[in-house]
Amino acid sequence: MSFLINLALGLLFGVGLVVSGMSDPAKVLNFLDFFGTWDPSLAFVMGGAVLVGFVGYRSVLARQKPIIGDRFYLPAKNDIDVHVLAGPAIFGIGWGLGGFCPGPALAGLGLGAAGTVAFIPAMITGMWAARLIDETLPRSSSD
Amino acid sequence: MTEFTPLASLAGGMMIGVSAVLLMLWEGRIAGISGIASRLLPPYRDGAFLSRLGFVIGMIVAPFAAMTLTGNQVVQAVSSNFPLMIAAGLLVGFGSVWGSGCTSGHGVCGLSRLSPRSLVATVMFMATAFVTVFLVRHVIGG
């Protein structure tokens, strides 16, 4: 059951990426090219998602617990540490090079572009390396 | 040049937001793609593997569903510079997991929760991405 619900939600998320244009690296790179061929569209993607998320989370998190499961799994950490500065900084460099962040890359995999097919195994390797480091050098708390 | 598409982008963004809110309502989890994808790799600490697999499969099927629904081809221009895309993939994969989130986890879900940690993360990755594109297009390429 949870598998099917998640399949539907992943589908909705992915269709959102495609409809919004975020699944096109050219559009992402133009959004990031403030001093060149700037395309502000992606600000509207973020705006729409955060608007719905802000309102929706407020009503959902007012509940005692989710429909299944015993609690909401919200990130426990709130401090600004090296991970939350260096991690996103590294991620941003990769995002600026390829125009792909994880969601759009996965949503574009089936379209079979050569660059996507090169990107995905590298991304999974990078994720695996980060998890390996976390397993070896545990953080003070989990998030 | 790419076409400015405020309405389609707003609509697509709202679909992403609805998906994130419903995932929280259903099983109480953040719709962060780097977290969902990276936890398909071992070790497995909770019983949510099948949920995550379902979410990722749904995302992969999405462009075909979108093409069927709209009747339009999905426009996508991906660089075919292999070394560049491999380097980009390594940095995106490592940085997003090490930093506990990407555009969706920090950018969408974190900002929606008004998380200061996610705001810092979002400012960081936006800043380095802007600088990277500036260097590639206007310093090295210019």
Side-chain angles (χ1 to χ4, degrees):
Chain A
M1 181 64 182
S2 235
F3 175 82
L4 291 177
I5 297 275
N6 272 272
L7 189 80
L9 294 181
L11 189 65
L12 178 62
F13 196 106
V15 170
L17 288 172
V18 171
V19 167
S20 69
M22 186 114 191
S23 59
D24 182 4
K27 217 164 161 60
V28 173
L29 292 174
N30 280 339
F31 172 69
L32 296 170
D33 192 4
F34 199 78
F35 297 102
T37 51
W38 195 48
D39 175 355
S41 302
L42 293 203
F44 288 77
V45 186
M46 204 67 144
V50 171
L51 191 73
V52 171
F54 177 71
V55 175
Y57 274 174
R58 291 209 141 198
S59 47
V60 168
L61 294 174
R63 294 168 53 100
Q64 292 287 321
K65 54 185 187 174
I67 293 172
I68 63 159
D70 49 356
R71 66 182 182 94
F72 293 107
Y73 297 89
L74 298 174
K77 287 188 77 155
N78 243 327
D79 55 321
I80 309 303
D81 57 10
V82 63
H83 290 102
V84 83
L85 293 171
I90 295 167
F91 159 54
I93 296 170
W95 193 35
L97 285 178
F100 266 148
C101 53
L106 284 173
L109 183 60
L111 299 173
T116 316
V117 175
F119 183 92
I120 292 281
M123 179 180 87
I124 292 169
T125 306
M127 289 178 163
W128 173 78
R131 289 202 64 192
L132 199 69
I133 290 176
D134 271 350
E135 292 296 320
T136 322
L137 306 164
R139 303 182 193 185
S140 48
S141 66
S142 60
D143 59 355
Chain B
M1 286 295 281
T2 48
E3 194 191 343
F4 177 47
T5 55
L7 288 181
S9 290
L10 188 68
M14 292 177 90
M15 293 168 81
I16 293 168
V18 169
S19 170
V21 169
L22 291 180
L23 186 66
M24 187 61 74
L25 174 65
W26 172 250
E27 57 182 78
R29 289 184 194 279
I30 296 281
I33 306 307
S34 59
I36 292 173
S38 68
R39 287 184 180 87
L40 289 178
L41 302 166
Y44 304 116
R45 292 262 156 71
D46 53 26
F49 179 82
L50 271 181
S51 293
R52 295 187 178 115
L53 185 65
F55 200 94
V56 169
I57 292 173
M59 289 186 74
I60 293 174
V61 177
F64 305 102
M67 284 191 266
T68 310
L69 285 172
T70 64
N72 298 328
Q73 288 293 310
V74 174
V75 181
Q76 201 194 42
V78 189
S79 165
S80 51
N81 179 336
F82 276 21
L84 177 91
M85 291 309 283
I86 289 170
L90 287 170
L91 293 167
V92 165
F94 182 84
S96 62
V97 170
W98 207 53
S100 308
C102 55
T103 333
S104 49
H106 280 311
V108 174
C109 300
L111 293 190
S112 293
R113 294 191 308 118
L114 306 179
S115 155
R117 197 170 141 86
S118 287
L119 178 63
V120 169
T122 305
V123 168
M124 282 305 290
F125 71 67
M126 293 295 297
T128 57
F130 272 112
V131 170
T132 302
V133 170
F134 182 79
L135 290 176
V136 169
R137 289 198 171 173
H138 302 290
V139 178
I140 302 169

